[in-house]
Amino acid sequence: MRFDLKFRTPPARRICHVSSPSVSATDRLPFRDPALPLRKRVDDLLERLTPDERIAMLHQYAPAVLRLGLAAFRTGSEALHGVAWLGEATVFPQAVGLGATWDEELVRQVGEATSVELRAFHHHREPLTAPGRGPISLQAWAPVLNLLRDPRWGRNEEGYAEDPVHTARLGEAFCRGLAGDHPDHLRAAPVLKHFLAYNNEDDRCTTSSGVRPRVLHEYDLAAFRPVVASGAATGAMAAYNLVNGRPCHVSPLIETELRRWAGPTGHELFVVSDAEAPSNLVDPEHYFDDHAESHAAALKAGIDSFTDHGEDSATPVGRLREARERGLIDETDIDRAVRRQLELRFRLGEFDPDLDPYAGIGPEVIGCPEHRALARRAATESVVLLKNTGLLPLDPARTPRVAVIGPLAGMLCEDWYSATLPYQVTVAAGLGAALGAHGGEVVQEEGTDRIALRSRTSGELLGKTAFDVVDWGRSMLTLRDADTGRYLSLKDDGSLVADREVLKTWDVHETFRLEPAEDGTVLLRSVLTGRYAAVDPVDGRAAVTAETPETAERWQRELLRDGAAEARAAAEAADVAVVVLGNHPMVNGRETEDRVDTALPAGQEALLREVAAVRPETALVVMSSYPYALDWADEHLPAVVWTSHGGQETGHALSDVLLGAAEPAGRLPQTWYRGEDPLPDALDYDIIQAGWTYQYHRAAPLYPYGHGLSYTAFTHRDLRLSRDSIAAGGSVDVTVTLANSGARTGSEIVQLYVRALDARYEAPRLRLADFRKVRLEAGESRELTFELPAERLTHWDVATGTFTVDPGAYEILVARSAEYVVLTAPLTVTGTAPQPRVVVDRRTLTVDFDDHAALTLVDVNRVGGDAVTPADPDRPATLLFRSVDLTGAARVDVEVARADGDAGEARLEIRAGERELTRFAVPVTGDHYAWTTVGAELPGAEDGVHDLTLVLHGAFRLAAFRFGSSRTTD
């Protein structure tokens, strides 16, 4: 989501959003009567709106209708971990940090605090938009339910976990906190982001996530389904990407899945587009020929509000009007979307301000002491102790002098979806205050080189100053003025000025590379533009204008301060070193940019090794939006700690944990892989075949999902099941005793996993079924009972197109992480064994394969349906369908499409086991969406159950096949 940030401090007063003289005249209209049912009020208001008024409401900025007393309305305020983009507000840990708490009640409280502050902004702050565009929206665009499949994802910080159960539980909790618990009125309206299968940034608007049915239902949809079905969410936002070749903004899954789940709740979901995504359907996606057609398709697919062209409503509304004039949409399509918006506005109290239980929230709640305390608690609970051989917790009496070293030692970062930090407690400040109370001290050392860049042409220093240089990975550097602390920034005219206090713009102008030249000098290159700095030989001014290294200025790099040497000296003079490394959320892994690997920035890794060489008592604190490969640190250091960017209270939280005032209660919400582990391709969304996440990854990780150590000790014992077998529709109670066998109070996450034994499908290694966070005093024990319904054992049966619990043997596992199982118990599911797949006289979709090789999932047409095609036309693609009953099959017909421009041979082979049944050429049909059926008689009537293989050669699409018992087509 991209918007310009224009922060200002508005007056703390209540804003009157509707000042129409006609309001009183409308008071007696039925839609103003709170005694009427909500649906009748919505219907009455909708009927009073003219067709033009209705279609105008389809844009993000819906105009006021003064004759009816309707205020202007806009969708969307960012509220991922606190209210964002509106100036100072309470900043909680990033969502991935909240995910590390595994604490639903805490996350609910964070959601509540966020919505309370959003209410205060809504009522008491002027919007940062043009006049008449509506107040600050109470529709909260949060939480993000996209799963953390790939740790290199640029927006990793926005998700809760790699597991769908974990994500859904915390997502529902956050939604409930946002919405409040009033039966009729919402405090804020949660919108789930981003539907669907969105986990890459590079080329995100044109890449397609290939999601086979099992992955779709068991993984990606599984994070959204429980939250929507619970009624906690009021809306959803479609994602930028495509799924199986079709843009998410025209996906049939919006209606067939999202809205179907919401049906029983009594409220429809209000679905919004992501910013500029409707326009993307034409350019750059080229999925439709013109914008009227694309906007019509999006509206029909279920998009209710178009976030497009910023505050310019005329362009997108004009496209929708054209679509109406061309008959691409009608009033029914428009009314359906407007009705959903109106229902939401009623629930937010817009039409009943005197009855709105949240209308009295005042501006004093923004950053109030209670929210600050909650921010500290959330930041503390999110800290994960990854390794500890006894160094932690630090004892101020034994280690009174602590060196806090690293680029993040005295720095907190804002990310794109955070508020302006109202204050900052850095790690050095937090530890310094805590140690000072015990007579200790902190020595802070950034560990960065201070350099000057001297022009070979003019002999002058760049900026007439020195710069402190930080490596954020992939040789991306920031250069901070040594005198002012401000970042060197590239201006629109190419000039370089050190004037930026923080990095927080959509296009980051403050990152550079120093590239070595052949003569020992360096070239200064902008990461943003790729151009090099040059110096005007006449006036000596430097500007980033050179297109090639040959025309770039040569700079002499003068080392004024050796950061590593100063860090070593600080560490040698201290009792303990705490090295704080990690990422800047706006650099090398952020929205629009994925990471290429999981390595620590080279400069930071080198700094860590320098410090550890002189001070073995070194603890690494990683403050990051995502996992790193910490192989060396794990092998050589006595302690490793991780926190996300935890907000304003980060320093207090880490100080509490490092000094033992608080227990390290966090557990990892995603797998941290080893550096030598070759991760799958970022665009391979098939977690089953690619081996993504703890469910399917075979190599041992560095730190597994669910991992986190404690300062106390826990034992798990007495695992028992209420029964040793259940039917497919039954349930079992799982009971285990947890005991704190250590000497101090602590928290443990009891993780309950399941796995199928001897499954007929490729089952997960294990899968999270439930979890519970438990806090116990030293010596305390507690018996915990989990109700485990059989549905937690289900898989998506591609043969029947439903969730199925196969009869057979299962295992229930109690674990401290996905790799640390402490107790197991067997469970049997009774029932009738699955039958072979029926394909004779039945249409079988090719996407319902059991296994595959070298194929891509694509769309059947622009409205619905999935098909397959070879990923590379020069390489055969294979589909496998296991245990297929071919009894009586006499012929086969297949549905194919082949474009005119698809060169070369195209043929399909069909085999039963190792025996070829038939093969035939695929004709040109004229277009990828022009489908035809071709078939062939089989040599003889088939019999028995076989594994069926389809092999595709060449460029064509295959949607379905049908074996017939007759030798003539229907």
Side-chain angles (χ1 to χ4, degrees), residues 895-916:
E895 299 169 23
V896 295
R898 185 183 178 199
D900 290 334
D902 290 340
E905 179 190 20
R907 73 178 189 276
L908 176 67
E909 299 173 10
I910 303 178
R911 302 171 184 163
E914 298 299 319
R915 179 169 54 90
E916 181 175 297

Side-chain angles (χ1 to χ4, degrees), residues 711-758:
Y711 291 152
T712 189
F714 292 96
T715 56
H716 304 69
R717 65 173 188 265
D718 303 332
L719 174 62
R720 63 184 187 275
L721 308 185
S722 60
R723 53 184 62 85
D724 58 12
S725 66
I726 59 173
S731 67
V732 60
D733 289 341
V734 180
T735 302
V736 64
T737 298
L738 177 70
N740 182 346
S741 53
R744 54 181 289 160
T745 299
S747 297
E748 173 69 318
I749 312 296
V750 180
Q751 302 168 41
L752 188 68
Y753 294 87
V754 297
R755 67 171 154 225
L757 305 177
D758 302 321

Side-chain angles (χ1 to χ4, degrees), residues 248 457 499 687 873 932 937:
C248 288
T457 298
D499 64 350
I687 67 166
T932 191
E937 304 284 347

Side-chain angles (χ1 to χ4, degrees), residues 183-349:
D184 300 317
H185 290 91
L186 298 165
R187 187 165 47 231
V191 171
L192 308 178
K193 296 167 39 173
H194 309 82
F195 192 78
L196 181 73
Y198 170 42
N199 190 235
N200 67 278
E201 292 304 298
D202 296 345
D203 300 319
R204 63 181 179 175
C205 295
T206 55
T207 56
S208 178
S209 306
V211 182
R212 61 198 277 193
R214 274 198 61 200
V215 175
L216 175 70
H217 292 279
E218 295 177 22
Y219 192 65
D220 288 292
L221 290 180
F224 286 84
R225 188 185 304 114
V227 186
V228 174
S230 73
T234 65
M237 176 185 286
Y240 280 120
N241 56 288
L242 296 80
V243 171
N244 298 349
R246 183 181 296 105
C248 288
H249 281 70
V250 291
S251 172
L253 297 173
I254 294 173
E255 294 293 335
T256 62
E257 299 293 340
L258 275 179
R259 289 210 162 97
R260 178 173 61 85
W261 305 330
T265 70
H267 295 290
E268 285 199 82
L269 289 183
F270 182 51
V271 179
V272 302
S273 82
D274 210 334
E276 309 309 315
S279 289
N280 291 347
L281 292 168
V282 174
D283 186 18
E285 291 169 357
H286 305 296
Y287 199 72
F288 294 97
D289 293 332
D290 62 65
H291 291 293
E293 182 184 6
S294 67
H295 282 42
L299 182 66
K300 282 184 168 293
I303 301 297
D304 302 313
S305 179
F306 289 71
T307 314
D308 206 311
H309 278 68
E311 296 180 41
D312 171 22
S313 300
T315 298
V317 171
R319 293 168 175 174
L320 288 162
R321 285 198 177 102
E322 180 186 344
R324 182 176 60 184
E325 292 165 1
R326 289 165 55 181
L328 301 175
I329 56 174
D330 58 27
E331 298 303 328
T332 301
D333 299 314
I334 298 167
D335 289 356
R336 185 170 54 244
V338 174
R339 179 177 282 106
R340 291 168 183 149
Q341 180 190 129
L342 293 177
E343 179 185 309
L344 186 69
R345 294 170 67 173
F346 272 102
R347 296 179 70 197
L348 285 168

